[in-house]
Amino acid sequence: MMPLEQVLELVGDLDDAPGEKTPRERFRRFLSQNLTSVGAVRDYVEECLRSSGEQYNRALQDLVNHLGRLLGFDVTFGRYKGVQGEIGFDGVWKSPSGLYIVVEVKTTDVYAIKTATLLGYIDRLISEQKIPDWDHALGLYVVGRSDAELKQLENSIIAEKRTHQLRVITVDKLLTLAELLADYEMEHEAVLTVLRPTGPIVDSLIELMAGLVAKEIRTAGEGIQQPQEEITNEPSSEPEGVDVQYYLAPVASDDTQTAEERIKKLLGAGIYAVSENSLGRKVKPGDWICFYATATGVVAHARVKSSPVQKHHPLVKHPEKYPYVFEVDSVSIYTENPVVLSAELRAKLDAFQGRDPSKPWAWFVQGTGRITKHDFMLLTR
């Protein structure tokens, strides 16, 4: 698949100019005709989130709407930039059930998110009879990364008693939902069930579902993941007779810090923390672990220095969630030059033997998992 950067260079600057041959329409046709796999959409979304600039923000908006189509909705694409006299929604997704989801895509926390804006879009759509009524409407914020604004948005939705009208989801979990739909033959109604929980943010439910699926895939694949050719540039000499294990640990942003900030802070102090149910609790001295920042890539690796012990550490932001701490050494951090999990790289990994690398791949980074030495070396250059 052609990198997104090349596609955008070919179609030209995305804007709201009308016409069938405009860059906007050429790009949207390209998505419809070529991005039929959720795995390929994830690659493009991650490229948007790693890049800056208006072109990538607008491409992300179109990619999110394209995901809506893969989720079984009839999608109306919105404008990139609001103008007087027109409703400024980013997308309207119509379900066969008659539900209309009005979408707002947020890629930055530069501007505070005001619920009145999205509510106003829906009110105007109802007034213009493009949506029947509020009983058939839902507002959905799709955000690129978790940050402080996301927590404030959640609090606003709850305080304003809008939990029955507004939902929030990260684009990572929207992709995961689309993967579950594609790979496990979920019905479209199941998507609607997920998007209509009791609380405004739906990520945790999808994370639970995806975690169970990822565990099943890893368990099925452990028997076929055999090391390929030996790679000689060892991360470090291994003590003779020691069974060294290799791990990949995903790290997500939250409302207080980015994944990269969390990794730098903990590894910089020579520690890392894991949850009670994480496979990371099984690491032992001499093992190696690399760290995947969600939507960015592998950004660090380190050697395990001590076994995990349950204790409170002042640098661990949520000790109730990550009560097990272990020490690390031989730390290498490369947040400015991450190893991107591209389709080309995935095709070389033992974990993807017998799998199409363009197919959904989020299972590989859902929860800490064991990987082969060969894969570790590739993921850490």
Side-chain angles (χ1 to χ4, degrees):
M1 179 65 67
M2 186 185 303
L4 177 61
E5 181 182 13
Q6 292 183 20
V7 175
L8 294 177
E9 286 178 357
L10 290 173
V11 300
D13 291 340
L14 300 177
D15 57 30
D16 288 313
E20 287 298 310
K21 296 183 179 180
T22 60
R24 177 186 73 178
E25 296 306 320
R26 287 201 299 269
F27 183 59
R28 292 172 181 175
R29 279 197 299 272
F30 172 83
L31 298 181
S32 176
Q33 295 168 7
N34 295 277
L35 258 69
T36 56
S37 163
V38 183
V41 178
R42 183 181 287 277
D43 287 337
Y44 276 17
V45 166
E46 293 204 349
E47 191 172 340
C48 285
L49 296 177
R50 288 193 303 270
S51 309
S52 60
E54 190 173 72
Q55 184 83 329
Y56 286 101
N57 291 342
R58 292 177 172 182
L60 179 63
Q61 180 177 318
D62 284 344
L63 285 161
V64 168
N65 279 318
H66 181 59
L67 267 179
R69 292 190 292 208
L70 297 181
L71 286 166
F73 294 93
D74 180 18
V75 173
T76 299
F77 285 73
R79 296 180 58 88
Y80 298 127
K81 189 175 182 180
V83 296
Q84 186 130 11
E86 293 195 29
I87 308 174
F89 59 81
D90 290 346
V92 176
W93 302 356
K94 181 184 177 183
S95 166
S97 69
L99 176 70
Y100 290 76
I101 297 180
V102 183
V103 175
E104 276 284 282
V105 182
K106 298 295 181 182
T107 59
T108 176
D109 61 354
V110 173
Y111 303 104
I113 302 172
K114 299 179 180 179
T115 59
T117 303
L118 182 52
L119 293 170
Y121 293 159
I122 299 174
D123 283 335
R124 284 191 61 187
L125 288 166
I126 293 172
S127 177
E128 295 182 10
Q129 298 183 341
K130 294 178 179 177
I131 292 178
D133 49 47
W134 265 107
D135 290 337
H136 296 83
L138 189 69
L140 179 66
Y141 293 99
V142 181
V143 297
R145 296 179 186 274
S146 298
D147 52 39
E149 292 294 342
L150 185 60
K151 189 64 178 178
Q152 293 172 19
L153 178 59
E154 178 187 14
N155 292 337
S156 295
I157 292 173
I158 294 172
E160 296 168 13
K161 296 181 171 56
R162 298 286 186 176
T163 54
H164 62 298
Q165 296 175 326
L166 299 176
R167 292 288 179 270
V168 186
I169 189 170
T170 57
V171 68
D172 174 62
K173 292 305 180 287
L174 187 65
L175 283 159
T176 300
L177 183 59
E179 289 172 347
L180 291 170
L181 183 70
D183 279 9
Y184 288 85
E185 299 181 351
M186 284 172 52
E187 298 293 333
H188 175 76
E189 285 298 321
V191 175
L192 300 184
T193 300
V194 169
L195 294 176
R196 288 169 158 170
T198 55
I201 296 184
V202 303
D203 278 27
S204 57
L205 176 58
I206 299 172
E207 189 172 356
L208 173 63
M209 296 163 60
L212 294 172
V213 170
K215 185 175 181 181
E216 175 187 325
I217 292 175
R218 282 204 190 94
T219 301
E222 280 179 354
I224 63 171
Q225 287 186 29
Q226 300 299 324
Q228 298 176 358
E229 70 278 4
E230 187 69 17
I231 299 177
T232 57
N233 53 325
E234 301 282 342
S236 177
S237 59
E238 298 169 2
E240 189 175 345
V242 174
D243 178 23
V244 176
Q245 297 291 331
Y246 299 86
Y247 295 85
L248 172 67
V251 185
S253 303
D254 59 26
D255 58 348
T256 61
Q257 58 191 346
T258 66
E260 291 87 342
E261 289 169 343
R262 179 179 165 196
I263 290 168
K264 285 181 179 179
K265 182 173 71 174
L266 295 181
L267 297 188
I271 65 158
Y272 195 69
V274 295
S275 66
E276 184 171 4
N277 296 321
S278 170
L279 188 62
R281 279 192 60 192
K282 296 189 176 183
V283 300
K284 64 185 184 307
D287 289 345
W288 286 85
I289 183 167
C290 59
F291 301 89
Y292 170 81
T294 302
T296 298
V298 177
V299 297
H301 64 271
R303 183 175 58 187
V304 179
K305 185 178 179 181
S306 69
S307 298
V309 294
Q310 188 172 8
K311 68 176 183 179
H312 182 280
H313 194 286
L315 289 181
V316 178
K317 196 70 176 178
H318 300 287
E320 73 285 354
K321 292 175 63 177
Y322 307 105
Y324 287 85
V325 178
F326 57 89
E327 297 179 359
V328 296
D329 60 15
S330 300
V331 174
S332 182
I333 300 175
Y334 30 93
T335 53
E336 300 303 318
N337 188 25
V339 179
V340 177
L341 285 177
S342 63
E344 181 182 4
L345 176 58
R346 296 195 298 272
K348 299 175 182 178
L349 298 177
D350 293 331
F352 286 84
Q353 280 191 352
R355 302 182 188 277
D356 184 345
S358 69
K359 295 293 185 182
W361 54 271
W363 59 267
F364 185 56
V365 291
Q366 287 284 346
T368 299
R370 286 194 186 95
I371 56 176
T372 64
K373 177 181 178 181
H374 171 269
D375 287 0
F376 182 89
M377 301 302 293
L378 287 177
L379 292 171
T380 60
R381 296 193 182 96

